[in-house]
Amino acid sequence: MAIDITSPEDRANVFSDLSTIAKLCLSEDEASKKSFNLLFNIWEKISRQIWDLCYWNDYSRCANLIFQAAKNVNDLKIQAQSLGELGYVSMESQDSKYAQKYFQESLQKYQLLQDFSGECRLLRYLGTLAHRQGKLEEALEYYHQAQEIVKAQYSQLPINSIDRELAISEAELPNVMGCVYLDLGDFVASYQQLHISLENYQILIEDNSYNRYYIVDPLLNLGQWHFLQKSYKQAKYYYQNCLSLSKKLSRNDKIAEVLLSLANLAEIEGNIEIAIQLATESERVAGTEIPALRDRAAVFKEKLLN
């Protein structure tokens, strides 16, 4: 029977089914490990869609279930992965304390495993968390550490071989660094980094179209760069490209964010009615799953209405 992830009832059923299997993952014996493999294989098939659609509450419940089962069967790698995901969901839910805790625990496990791709990803997450907390220099330090890992690991790869996870980090790190430089007011460094990210992602898309999922971020950030430079025509160009692609990918987080950016742009251009419409739509798309963005849209709309 097909699962409709957009249905709350189906998502609740997914959790129920996973819980039933997780009860069989009680120790390190072969039967438990076999049950855990079944549990994780099912989760792998559906987790990406739940993540992509930003159903953070459902993702958190299921990921915590996977983590506990991984602990029972002593699967360190899946523990590290689940902790990183729980940290990211906590960060998106504005729970910085738990995000930091989960990220650090995940990072330690990846370091113990000498899983350099995982370590790089967690350093990137920690940098993003620091950036959101306004700790800009700390964020850059995390990103620089991650870049050093990428460089070191690439130097050991055979010629013409590609590590997908490292390639994504190589493309994403300039994007997040470009955002920090933008907040620091270093527009030259920000522009350079954001364009490096965009170019790297465009190369990755040629290899695998799924990588389009990630390119919306530098598109949005380049729009913001041009907005702050009062180059509104170029800002709209990047915002519209980001919105179009985000809709194709059903990335509600970016749809809501770029709609709010377009609302800000409409306000600047004196189109108040359009700005209100865009903010209202941003608020609707964010819904209950992306409360921080929903609240920002609501505050912006209220300001315009008054």
Side-chain angles (χ1 to χ4, degrees):
M1 181 178 175
I3 298 172
D4 179 8
I5 292 300
T6 63
S7 163
E9 182 179 354
D10 279 12
R11 295 199 302 277
N13 289 336
V14 165
F15 178 75
S16 177
D17 291 344
L18 292 175
S19 297
T20 299
I21 301 172
K23 291 175 182 176
L24 303 175
C25 309
L26 301 175
S27 65
E28 296 181 44
D29 61 38
E30 285 305 311
S32 289
K33 289 182 178 179
K34 187 175 180 180
S35 296
F36 178 73
N37 288 337
L38 172 63
L39 173 72
F40 188 69
N41 286 336
I42 293 172
W43 177 233
E44 283 283 271
K45 287 182 180 0
I46 58 178
S47 61
R48 184 80 250 183
Q49 193 176 1
I50 297 174
W51 180 281
D52 288 353
L53 292 172
C54 304
Y55 293 127
W56 300 128
N57 294 329
D58 297 285
Y59 200 99
S60 179
R61 292 173 71 209
C62 293
N64 190 58
L65 195 71
I66 301 299
F67 171 68
Q68 294 300 330
K71 278 184 68 176
N72 291 342
V73 301
N74 197 29
D75 190 318
L76 196 60
K77 184 172 183 178
I78 304 304
Q79 288 179 52
Q81 178 181 322
S82 299
L83 284 166
E85 292 166 354
L86 286 166
Y88 195 93
V89 171
S90 297
M91 180 171 66
E92 290 299 300
S93 303
Q94 295 187 292
D95 190 340
S96 299
K97 179 181 177 181
Y98 272 97
Q100 185 81 27
K101 174 180 178 293
Y102 287 134
F103 285 157
Q104 289 292 355
E105 290 180 7
S106 177
L107 178 62
Q108 290 168 9
K109 292 184 188 301
Y110 277 127
Q111 289 172 334
L112 186 63
L113 290 164
Q114 294 188 314
D115 183 330
F116 298 108
S117 294
E119 183 180 357
C120 184
R121 184 172 66 255
L122 263 296
L123 287 168
R124 201 173 75 231
Y125 286 174
L126 281 162
T128 300
L129 179 61
H131 185 189
R132 292 188 185 185
Q133 294 174 318
K135 303 173 183 177
L136 304 184
E137 296 298 336
E138 183 178 323
L140 285 176
E141 179 57 32
Y142 279 124
Y143 295 150
H144 285 309
Q145 289 180 46
Q147 277 191 325
E148 289 303 311
I149 292 173
V150 171
K151 290 176 184 176
Q153 292 307 301
Y154 260 123
S155 69
Q156 298 177 28
L157 288 176
I159 296 175
N160 296 326
S161 65
I162 296 175
D163 182 306
R164 180 180 177 275
E165 180 103 18
L166 286 174
I168 288 173
S169 284
E170 185 180 37
E172 181 58 17
L173 283 165
N175 173 55
V176 289
M177 291 176 72
C179 291
V180 175
Y181 286 130
L182 191 58
D183 283 350
L184 287 169
D186 189 338
F187 287 93
V188 173
S190 176
Y191 188 82
Q192 290 173 341
Q193 291 298 314
L194 291 173
H195 269 280
I196 289 171
S197 175
L198 187 62
E199 290 165 7
N200 286 347
Y201 274 131
Q202 287 168 337
I203 293 170
L204 287 177
I205 288 172
E206 294 174 5
D207 179 59
N208 186 339
S209 62
Y210 178 76
N211 291 321
R212 293 184 308 161
Y213 178 90
Y214 303 100
I215 202 171
V216 296
D217 293 287
L219 286 173
L220 176 61
N221 294 328
L222 278 164
Q224 181 65 7
W225 189 94
H226 283 285
F227 179 83
L228 292 175
Q229 290 288 295
K230 299 183 180 181
S231 178
Y232 299 132
K233 184 177 179 180
Q234 278 297 99
K236 184 177 289 187
Y237 168 80
Y238 283 110
Y239 286 157
Q240 291 289 3
N241 281 349
C242 176
L243 180 60
S244 175
L245 184 53
S246 295
K247 286 181 174 179
K248 290 177 183 177
L249 297 170
S250 298
R251 281 205 62 177
N252 288 343
D253 58 336
K254 292 305 166 187
I255 293 171
E257 191 171 357
V258 75
L259 282 170
L260 186 54
S261 295
L262 283 165
N264 275 281
L265 183 56
E267 181 196 19
I268 289 291
E269 294 177 333
N271 299 318
I272 303 303
E273 286 189 16
I274 292 175
I276 291 171
Q277 292 171 8
L278 289 165
T280 300
E281 182 62 8
S282 173
E283 186 181 3
R284 184 194 67 78
V285 172
T288 59
E289 296 295 333
I290 319 173
L293 193 50
R294 178 199 64 211
D295 294 345
R296 279 172 52 203
V299 169
F300 178 78
K301 182 178 71 173
E302 188 67 22
K303 181 191 75 171
L304 294 179
L305 289 169
N306 293 330

